[in-house]
Structure formats: C-alpha cells, structure tokens
Amino acid sequence: AVVSTQSTGTRQMYDKLFAMGCTMYGQMTAGSYCYIGPQGIVHGTTITVMNAGRHYLGPGSLAGKVYVTAGLGGMSGAQGKAVVIAGCIGVVAEVSREALDKRHSQGWYKRSW
C-alpha cells in the first residue's frame, strides 16, 4: 500500500507507518549514490517485497510464498532478484528472450520455461 503524508494529512500517520517498516523513499533512482544502478534498485525492490510480506502476511519468512510479477528487463529486472533474496518463489512473465538470458546469466533467477 502506498500512503503519502499528503493523502493522510498527518505526520503522525507517516511516523507510525515508518516505524512499522511500511514506507520507503519513492525516488530511489534519483536519490543518493547508494540508490543509483542495479544494486540500489535491487535493494529498494527487496525492501518493498519484504515489507509487503510483513504487512499482508505478518512477520516471518516468505519461504514458500509465491510472488507473481512481469518483466526482467531494465529496472523491472530487480523483481526477480529481490524475490530470490526474500526467499519467495517467483513466477515472472517475460516476453524478451534477451532480457531473460541476461538475467539468467547474472544469476538473478534459476529456471525458465
């Protein structure tokens, strides 16, 4: 869920969501140096996947949970790696053989069909 302080109108709500790990700086690609490039995108995406899991499924491991998404090219490629890091089972749809091969050669996912 995305909640901005503008939509809720209170700093208290933002602080509560921040304390629960349910917020993140939304401009990570234009943020500080640590968020530029694949490592920053993977980091931000992993945090998002893990926080969504905590929010909707409660605390604990995401092992055995299925994460369905699409895209392994460009910045969307981070979703496949984030799922691996978070311990989920990822089902990712991709139409580009080039993107599929690139992410596989990088070790960002294990199998394709």
Side-chain angles (χ1 to χ4, degrees), residues 29 33-42:
T29 59
Y33 177 75
C34 69
Y35 290 117
I36 297 174
Q39 76 283 356
I41 301 306
V42 171

Side-chain angles (χ1 to χ4, degrees), residues 91-111:
V91 177
V92 184
E94 177 55 67
V95 297
S96 168
R97 171 53 65 181
E98 182 180 350
L100 201 62
D101 292 343
K102 177 181 178 180
R103 296 305 182 195
H104 186 263
S105 72
Q106 293 172 326
W108 286 32
Y109 72 91
K110 296 177 183 176
R111 287 183 247 164

Side-chain angles (χ1 to χ4, degrees), residues 52-109:
R54 289 183 193 117
H55 180 78
Y56 291 104
L57 305 173
S61 171
L62 293 178
K65 305 296 188 234
V66 178
Y67 179 87
V68 180
T69 188
L72 288 170
M75 288 192 285
S76 65
Q79 296 179 85
K81 184 65 171 178
V83 167
V84 171
I85 293 169
C88 304
I89 298 166
V91 177
V92 184
E94 177 55 67
V95 297
S96 168
R97 171 53 65 181
E98 182 180 350
L100 201 62
D101 292 343
K102 177 181 178 180
R103 296 305 182 195
H104 186 263
S105 72
Q106 293 172 326
W108 286 32
Y109 72 91

